[in-house]
């Protein structure tokens, strides 16, 4: 046994992660269901470090030093269970299986429980950063026992991305499903960030009349300020790209139907179960689904729209500044909602997640990496029991300064019939949280009227019911 770590499942993510471990000086056992892939990896990249190619599951396990660290990089769902079933009987107490796929955290909890009974640690680790991240430094969100982190953490810290201050973009998130839960919310926020950027683009194009190339330049400028982030950077690249076949902007030749593999949807499903209002993330998921309903869209083409004229050129420059404010303010809201969901999950499952640490390890390597995350880290580091990011003085001030422009952008969008569901949902969330009174009192009255569901009064304790069908007097419930 000579390998410190093993990777099974050598599609591109697994292969790149194995190479990353090897490039960092670890001896890496590699294994794949079809052995040709294993041989190809060693042939092509063998000079990058020390690999041990294993043809069988038995050889693979035998190649690993104890405690064995076995990283599974296969498709989430049944393939993961199949691999666990194959390897678990070959392992000994103290060994660990690390699932680096996008597993649902409930599956991770189930697998962790089952393996714990055999004395095997199961580490559900969210890995973000795509192919490039896996090779050169991803953000890694490992869950599982403290003991497993002690044996695995230092290796993950070595291969992970590093934030600008040099700290590794990985940390022990918490027990069982905590890592995959946090990765799921990362993806929910990723959807929201992408949707908000898409809305900004659409408004700059349709309301202000900018071309994709001009918008690419606007995004490049934004990327030097507080919106500095990977997603803004690649947005400029995509917008500036010209299709070689037609000479048209790339964004004009691609079908406007967004796909999804499901992690954003899980975020919203779980948020509904936890009672966390992630309205911005939900709008992002729904926007993708709406875009895919070609038949509905075709059937709706004749519906009347507004008659307002596009803005003039002079206004267009000012409008771009306003859109930057709207985008930034809406982004604050998405992260507020996402971190609320992590706090709620942590509470529900007793994970004791350090929100500042989550922000910290998202600063590099992952898809949502952004300068902004350093601010979130600082906010939670200053006050770990911060009830909401909007309660942080700095964010509250910035969003307050942005709000007039944010509203103006939504007025312009609405006037011209351009949907901006992410911006709108974020503003509604902000205004609802600010409100002295919400119309929920009326909702309670209706519920009491039709279903005797009772209500509580603002002026004294107790639960009450009004005899709506009788003399309308109030009785204690
Ligand atoms: C990442 C990404 C990645 C994920 C897709 C989500 O963090 O590296 O989130 O894990 O597979 O980006 O893809 P969909 O848009 O298909 O849901």
């Amino acid at each position: 046994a000579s390998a410190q770590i093993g990777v099974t499942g050598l599609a591109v993510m697994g292969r790149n992660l194995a190479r990353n471990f090897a490039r960092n000086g670890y001896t890496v056992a590699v294994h794949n269901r079809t052995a040709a892939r294993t041989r190809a990896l060693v042939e092509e990249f063998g000079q990058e470090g020390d690999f041990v190619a294993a043809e069988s599951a038995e050889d693979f396990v035998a190649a690993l030093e104890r405690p064995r660290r076995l990283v599974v990089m296969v498709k989430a769902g049944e393939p993961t269970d199949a691999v666990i079933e194959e390897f678990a009987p070959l392992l000994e107490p103290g060994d660990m299986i690390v699932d680096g796929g996008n597993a649902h955290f409930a599956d991770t909890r189930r697998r962790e429980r089952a393996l714990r009974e055999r004395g095997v640690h199961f580490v559900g680790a969210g890995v973000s950063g795509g192919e490039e991240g896996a090779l050169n430094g991803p953000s890694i969100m490992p869950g599982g026992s403290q003991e497993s982190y002690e044996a695995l953490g230092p290796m993950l810290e070595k291969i992970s991305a590093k934030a600008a201050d040099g700290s590794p973009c990985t940390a022990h998130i918490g027990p069982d499903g905590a890592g995959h839960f946090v990765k799921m919310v990362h993806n929910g926020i990723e959807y929201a960030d992408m949707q908000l950027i898409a809305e900004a683009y659409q408004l700059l194009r349709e309301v202000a009349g900018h071309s994709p190339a001009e918008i690419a330049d606007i995004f490049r400028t934004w990327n030097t300020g507080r919106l500095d982030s990977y997603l803004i950077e690649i947005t400029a690249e995509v917008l500036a790209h010209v299709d070689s076949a037609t000479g048209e902007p790339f964004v004009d030749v691609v079908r406007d139907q967004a796909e999804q593999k499901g992690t954003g949807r899980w975020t919203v499903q779980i948020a509904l179960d936890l009672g966390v209002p992630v309205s911005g993330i939900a709008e992002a998921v729904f926007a993708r689904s709406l875009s895919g309903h070609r038949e509905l869209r075709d059937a709706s083409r004749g519906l009347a729209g507004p008659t307002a004229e596009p803005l003039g050129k002079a206004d267009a420059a000012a409008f771009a500044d306003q859109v930057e404010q709207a985008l930034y303010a809406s982004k604050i809201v998405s992260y507020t909602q996402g971190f609320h969901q992590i706090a709620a999950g942590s509470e529900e499952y007793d994970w004791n997640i350090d929100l500042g640490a989550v922000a910290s390890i998202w600063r590099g390597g992952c898809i949502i990496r952004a300068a902004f995350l350093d601010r979130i880290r600082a906010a939670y580091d200053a006050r770990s029991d911060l009830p909401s990011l909007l309660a942080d003085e700095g964010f509250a001030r910035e969003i307050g300064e942005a709000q007039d422009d944010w509203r103006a952008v939504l007025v312009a969008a609405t006037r011209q019939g351009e949907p901006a569901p992410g911006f709108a949902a974020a503003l509604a969330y902000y205004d609802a949280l600010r409100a002295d009174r919400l119309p929920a009192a009326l909702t309670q009255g209706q519920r009491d009227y039709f279903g005797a569901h009772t209500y509580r009064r603002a002026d004294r304790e107790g639960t009450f019911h009004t005899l709506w069908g009788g003399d309308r007097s109030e009785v204690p419930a």
Side-chain angles (χ1 to χ4, degrees):
S2 58
Q4 286 116 347
I5 193 137
V7 179
T8 182
L10 300 176
V12 64
M13 288 295 287
R15 187 181 66 197
N16 283 359
L17 211 60
R19 292 172 61 198
N20 188 351
F21 278 115
R23 287 171 168 198
N24 275 286
Y26 296 111
T27 301
V28 188
V30 284
H31 171 264
N32 194 66
R33 198 163 44 85
T34 49
R37 252 204 185 144
T38 314
R39 286 193 290 269
L41 187 161
V42 177
E43 263 163 43
E44 226 175 307
F45 305 108
Q47 80 292 351
E48 290 182 357
D50 294 332
F51 294 100
V52 180
E55 301 252 324
S56 70
E58 288 76 13
D59 288 351
F60 182 56
V61 168
L64 295 170
E65 277 178 8
R66 297 217 53 215
R68 298 187 180 88
R69 305 172 188 93
L70 195 158
V71 181
V72 179
M73 294 300 290
V74 300
K75 255 202 164 91
E78 272 169 30
T80 305
D81 283 315
V83 171
I84 292 172
E85 262 166 50
E86 182 179 6
F87 286 100
L90 306 175
L91 299 178
E92 292 169 87
D95 290 350
M96 69 198 70
I97 295 182
V98 183
D99 175 12
N102 268 333
H104 193 293
F105 78 97
D107 287 336
T108 302
R109 282 167 62 77
R110 167 176 61 76
R111 291 168 183 148
E112 196 273 339
R113 212 178 308 122
L115 286 168
R116 199 185 328 135
E117 280 171 18
R118 305 180 179 208
V120 172
H121 299 283
F122 185 69
V123 176
V127 178
S128 178
E131 297 172 23
E132 204 272 337
L135 183 62
N136 297 314
S139 174
I140 312 173
M141 295 147 251
S145 65
Q146 186 61 42
E147 203 185 327
S148 64
Y149 192 79
E150 274 154 30
L152 182 72
M155 300 177 76
L156 298 183
E157 286 167 22
K158 198 136 183 218
I159 68 151
S160 72
K162 306 295 175 286
D165 65 5
S167 48
C169 293
T170 186
H172 183 220
I173 303 290
D176 57 80
H180 274 140
F181 186 94
V182 165
K183 175 57 171 45
M184 173 189 78
V185 177
H186 164 284
N187 282 28
I189 294 175
E190 171 186 306
Y191 276 49
D193 262 345
M194 291 167 71
Q195 173 63 20
L196 295 173
I197 290 171
E199 290 176 19
Y201 152 75
Q202 182 79 351
L203 295 176
L204 289 170
R205 186 134 190 213
E206 299 301 331
V207 176
H210 289 294
S211 68
E214 287 168 346
I215 302 171
D217 283 336
I218 293 171
F219 276 99
R220 281 195 190 105
T221 311
W222 289 354
N223 202 38
T224 62
R226 59 189 180 172
L227 284 169
D228 174 1
S229 62
Y230 172 70
L231 282 170
I232 295 278
E233 178 193 327
I234 66 164
T235 299
E237 296 297 316
V238 174
L239 286 173
H241 183 57
V242 173
D243 174 51
S244 56
T246 59
E248 297 294 323
F250 169 82
V251 281
D252 288 348
V253 300
V254 174
R255 284 192 195 190
D256 60 347
Q257 293 178 257
E259 309 281 341
Q260 51 179 316
K261 289 203 289 284
T263 45
R265 186 171 59 235
W266 291 347
T267 309
V268 178
Q269 286 170 336
I270 299 303
L272 290 170
D273 291 341
L274 290 169
V276 180
V278 294
S279 47
I281 298 171
E283 285 296 356
V285 177
F286 284 133
R288 287 198 193 185
S289 118
L290 189 151
S291 77
H293 279 286
R294 194 70 260 172
E295 75 302 347
L296 276 182
R297 296 173 60 193
D298 287 343
S300 309
R301 275 199 195 285
L303 295 176
T307 49
E309 286 297 312
L311 299 182
K313 266 273 179 243
D315 293 335
F319 187 67
D321 290 340
Q322 292 183 317
V323 173
E324 193 269 350
Q325 297 278 2
L327 177 54
Y328 187 69
S330 303
K331 184 177 168 84
I332 294 176
V333 168
S334 319
Y335 283 72
T336 300
Q337 295 181 347
F339 277 86
H340 181 194
Q341 181 164 357
I342 295 174
S346 177
E347 177 82 23
E348 173 76 16
Y349 298 104
D350 240 341
W351 283 329
N352 202 17
I353 296 176
D354 176 345
L355 300 179
V358 171
S360 174
I361 68 170
W362 286 351
R363 289 180 300 167
C366 65
I367 304 296
I368 64 170
R369 61 186 181 259
F372 178 71
L373 280 154
D374 204 35
R375 300 269 317 283
I376 300 182
R377 179 197 58 78
Y380 282 114
D381 282 358
R383 209 185 139 191
S384 63
D385 66 338
L386 199 64
S388 153
L389 269 185
L390 292 178
D392 173 72
E393 233 177 84
F395 286 125
R397 192 188 52 249
E398 283 179 317
I399 208 165
E401 285 165 4
Q403 61 157 330
D404 285 338
D405 286 336
W406 192 7
R407 295 178 198 284
V409 166
L410 277 160
V411 168
T414 308
R415 269 187 58 232
Q416 297 205 205
E418 287 299 331
F423 286 177
L427 182 59
Y429 178 87
Y430 175 73
D431 281 336
L433 287 185
R434 281 185 329 101
D436 275 342
R437 292 272 300 159
L438 291 171
L442 176 59
T443 310
Q444 283 300 83
Q446 293 164 323
R447 294 178 68 246
D448 191 55
Y449 191 108
F450 64 63
H453 292 300
T454 75
Y455 52 87
R456 284 174 301 152
R457 296 182 59 101
D459 55 358
R460 60 193 141 89
E461 288 302 310
T463 308
F464 303 94
H465 168 57
T466 288
L467 302 170
W468 297 102
D471 66 357
R472 305 215 163 169
S473 60
E474 183 174 79
V475 294

